[in-house]
Amino acid sequence: MMAAVRAAWFADRKRPAVWTVTATWLALALVFGIGVPYLVHLALAGDPKEASSAESLLAAVLPGQLVPTGIGLFPLFGGAILVILGALVVGNEYRWGTWNLVFTQRPRRAQVMAGQAVVLCGLTLLIAVLTFALLALTTGALAAAEGRAADWPSAGRLAAAATGAWLICTAHAALGWFLAIAFRSATTAIAVGLIWTLVLENAVSALALALSPLTVVQKVLLAPSSGALAGALGARSQFDGGTPGVLESSNALVPTLVLLGYVLIMFAAGGWLAARRDVG
Amino acid sequence: MDGLDLRVHEGEVLGFLGPNGAGKTTTMRMLVGLVRPTSGRIEVLGRPPGTPEQLARVGALIESPAFYPHLSGRDNLRLAARYAGVPERAADRVLAEVHLTDRAGSPFRTYSLGMKQRLGVAAALLKEPNLLILDEPTNGLDPAGVTDIRELLRALGRRGRTVLLSSHVLGEVEQICDRIVVIDAGRLVADGTPDELRGSLGQAVLVIDADPADRAADCLRGHDGVRSVELVDGRLRVTTDPALAATLNRRLVEAGIDVRELRPVRHSLEEAFLTLTAPARPPMAEERTGRQEPATTTGGLR
C-alpha cells in the first residue's frame, strides 16, 4: 500500500496539470475573494453615499473576515476546479494508456487506486491550506496598507474552516475522480461533473425554493451540502450578499456527513470499477 | 480466445505467432491480469495472473509502450520501480541495457518510436523477472536497434530467463526462439520448434540443374521417395526427402547425366505460418499439439 502511495505521489507531484489547476484556483481565490471586493471598495471610497458599502467591502478583505471570506469561495468556485483536478489525475491514465504500466508492476489494482485516492486527499488538503495561507498573507498585507488592526480569527476557527474547505475540495475531487474512471476519460468526466455540480444541482436548489419536497433531495446533493457547510462555518449566503453557492445554515453536521459520504462512496465506487474492469 | 492451452517451459524463448486479430495481445493481457478470461484457468509461475506474487516475477511490454509523456524516461522507470517495490537505481541499469542512458533525462514525449520501444523493454526488465512477456518489442526499431534487442533476448535466454515473444518479423522469431506456437482465431494451430513447423509442410524440394534436363526428369520419376518432378526454368524441382539427395545424384551420374547443381530448398517459416493460418485450412491443433507435450511444466505457464 505504501509503495502505491509513494508512486502515486511521485506521479502527481510531477504532473503539470496538478500545479496548473492549483495555481489557477489560488489566482481565482485571490481575485474573487480579495481583489474584486477591494477594487470595488476603492471605487466606492470617494463617494460619501456609499461609505458604508465601501467600509463593509474593506472589512471583508481584512484578517477579521478571513474565515467567512475564505470558506465562502469553496462551494462554487473551488468545487468546480476540484472536479477538474480529480478528473485529470486519473483520467489521463486512460488517455496515455499508463494503466498498462501501473497495473503490471506489483500492487493489486485496489491498492493502486487506494494509493491514488490517498494522494488526491493530500493534494486537496494542500490546496485548502495554501488557500487560507495565501488569503491570510494578503489580508494581513491589506490591513497594514490600510492602517487597520489585524483582528485575526482564533486558531480553532481557522482550523475548522480549513478542515471544512478540505472536505468540500475532497468531495468534489472524488466526484471528478470517479467520473473519470466511469467514463475512462478526463474530458467527459469534467464535462459531466461541471454540468452536474454547476447546472443540475443548482437547478434543483432553485426549484427547491418553490417545491418544498425537493429540499430533502437538496440536502444530499454535493454543491448544496458544500454551500450549507460553508454557511455553517460563517460564510454569508448568496441571498445575504455573500458568495454564490453559499447557503444559510446553522448546522454543520448534516452537510459534513453528506460530504463524507460522497468522499467514501466515490472513492470506493471508482476503486471498485478500476479494479474490476478489463484494461486495454 | 477459444480453449487455448499454452505452456511455456522454464528458460525457453517461445515465439508467439498469429495473424492480426488472432488473440495474441489478448492472451498476453490475460497473462498479466489486465484482462480476465470469461472461463478457464490461467496460472503464470504457479500463480493466478495479476496477483502481487505473480506480477513481481513477470515483466511485460504489451502493445505499444505507454508512459507518462511529461516524465523523462528515467522518471518513468523510477515511477514503475516504486510501484514494483524495486530500488530506483534499477532504472539506470535497465536504461544502460537498452542503450538509452544518453536520453534518459528527456521527456518521453520527445522520444522516437524506437526509443519508446526500448524504454518499454527496459520497463519490462526492471524487476529482473523470471518471465518476460514482449509484444512486438522490435516494432519501430532501426536495424541496429533490432539487432540490439535480438542480442538482449538471446542473452536473457542464455541466462535462463523465460521469454514469451510475439512478433510479425518471422526471421527474428526463427533466430531467437527455441519453440514457436501459432494461434489463429483464438485457437492453437501449431506448436513446435522452427524446424518442426517448417517440416510440417511436408517434404522439401531439391533443385537440380542437370543436362539434359528432360532425361534427368524421366530418370527421377518413379524413383522411390520421389513424389513429384517438375521442370521449371530449365531446372528440376524434385519433391522428396532431402536425405535422398546423394542417392538421386548417384542415379543421375550413373545414367550419364551431368549434374551441375543439386541443393535442397527448405520451406520457410513464413510459408509454414501462411499455410497454418490460411482461412480455408481446418484447425490442426490436435495433430500438432499432441506430439509437443512438454516434459515438465514446473515453474512454467499453463
Side-chain angles (χ1 to χ4, degrees), chain B residues 16-211:
Chain B
F16 191 40
L17 305 182
N20 289 336
K24 301 186 298 295
T25 300
T26 302
T27 303
M28 290 179 151
R29 287 183 177 283
M30 284 190 212
L31 296 179
V32 289
L34 291 174
V35 171
R36 291 180 181 83
T38 47
S39 65
R41 190 172 65 99
I42 301 176
E43 273 186 21
V44 181
L45 303 165
R47 304 275 185 173
T51 56
E53 299 77 17
Q54 182 252 348
L55 290 175
R57 297 171 64 199
V58 177
L61 165 61
I62 297 176
E63 268 188 331
S64 53
F67 291 94
Y68 295 86
H70 54 280
L71 294 184
S72 67
R74 180 181 287 113
D75 277 349
N76 267 294
L77 294 181
R78 287 174 64 203
L79 173 64
R82 283 188 178 213
Y83 272 118
V86 301
E88 288 182 31
R89 62 179 177 277
D92 288 321
R93 172 181 56 79
V94 293
L95 283 166
E97 274 195 80
V98 299
H99 306 298
L100 207 53
T101 304
D102 290 348
R103 292 293 305 276
S106 305
F108 177 72
R109 63 171 173 268
T110 65
Y111 282 14
S112 67
L113 180 58
M115 291 163 69
K116 289 176 179 175
Q117 206 69 22
R118 285 167 188 262
L119 190 66
V121 174
L125 294 170
L126 199 61
K127 291 177 275 188
E128 297 195 67
N130 299 78
L131 171 65
L132 261 174
I133 297 172
L134 302 174
D135 191 5
E136 306 279 356
T138 55
N139 188 25
L141 292 178
D142 57 21
V146 171
T147 305
D148 286 347
I149 295 295
R150 191 187 298 150
E151 287 306 315
L152 179 63
L153 293 178
R154 279 196 183 128
L156 289 168
R158 284 196 295 271
R159 280 187 254 157
R161 296 280 166 78
T162 308
V163 181
L164 177 62
L165 170 72
S166 155
S167 175
H168 284 301
V169 185
L170 299 182
E172 173 183 292
V173 172
E174 201 166 7
Q175 287 184 53
I176 300 173
C177 296
D178 305 312
R179 194 162 63 91
I180 294 171
V181 294
V182 182
I183 65 168
D184 191 14
R187 301 186 66 192
L188 187 73
V189 294
D191 179 349
T193 63
D195 280 343
E196 286 171 336
L197 256 60
R198 281 191 298 261
S200 70
L201 290 187
Q203 291 172 306
V205 170
L206 288 178
V207 173
I208 302 174
D209 185 1
D211 187 27

Side-chain angles (χ1 to χ4, degrees), chain A residues 41-261:
Chain A
H41 153 76
L42 290 179
L44 298 179
D47 186 349
K49 284 186 282 188
E50 301 288 351
S52 71
S53 297
E55 188 59 28
S56 70
L57 282 166
L58 179 61
V61 297
L62 293 178
Q65 294 295 304
L66 176 59
V67 165
T69 299
I71 192 72
L73 293 167
F74 283 92
L76 188 69
F77 305 123
I81 292 278
L82 267 295
V83 167
I84 294 171
L85 180 71
L88 285 176
V89 295
V90 74
N92 280 331
E93 307 284 350
Y94 291 98
R95 184 156 71 99
W96 299 327
T98 37
W99 284 137
N100 276 0
L101 176 73
V102 171
F103 285 160
T104 56
Q105 293 311 315
R106 187 168 192 163
R108 289 183 190 280
R109 288 197 210 176
Q111 291 174 317
V112 170
M113 301 316 291
Q116 291 227 348
V118 167
V119 170
L120 187 55
C121 290
L123 287 173
T124 55
L125 176 62
L126 185 68
I127 286 171
V129 170
L130 275 178
T131 306
F132 275 99
L134 188 65
L135 291 178
L137 274 175
T138 314
T139 54
L142 278 178
E146 292 285 335
R148 302 295 181 102
D151 184 16
W152 293 101
S154 70
R157 198 163 166 238
L158 201 54
T163 306
W166 179 30
L167 188 55
I168 293 169
C169 288
T170 308
H172 281 85
L175 175 69
W177 192 81
F178 165 74
L179 290 173
I181 293 168
F183 292 114
R184 296 184 170 109
S185 156
T187 43
T188 311
I190 290 168
V192 172
L194 292 183
I195 289 170
W196 179 263
T197 54
L198 295 180
V199 180
L200 289 175
E201 290 201 346
N202 282 317
V204 171
S205 294
L207 282 173
L209 294 173
L211 300 170
S212 56
L214 280 179
T215 51
V216 179
V217 178
Q218 188 190 10
K219 280 197 168 87
V220 294
L221 294 179
L222 180 57
S225 296
S226 303
L229 180 60
L233 289 167
R236 279 196 300 165
S237 86
Q238 59 191 41
F239 306 112
D240 192 22
T243 319
V246 176
L247 299 177
E248 196 173 316
S249 169
S250 57
N251 179 8
L253 182 63
V254 174
T256 299
L257 290 176
V258 170
L259 293 176
L260 271 176

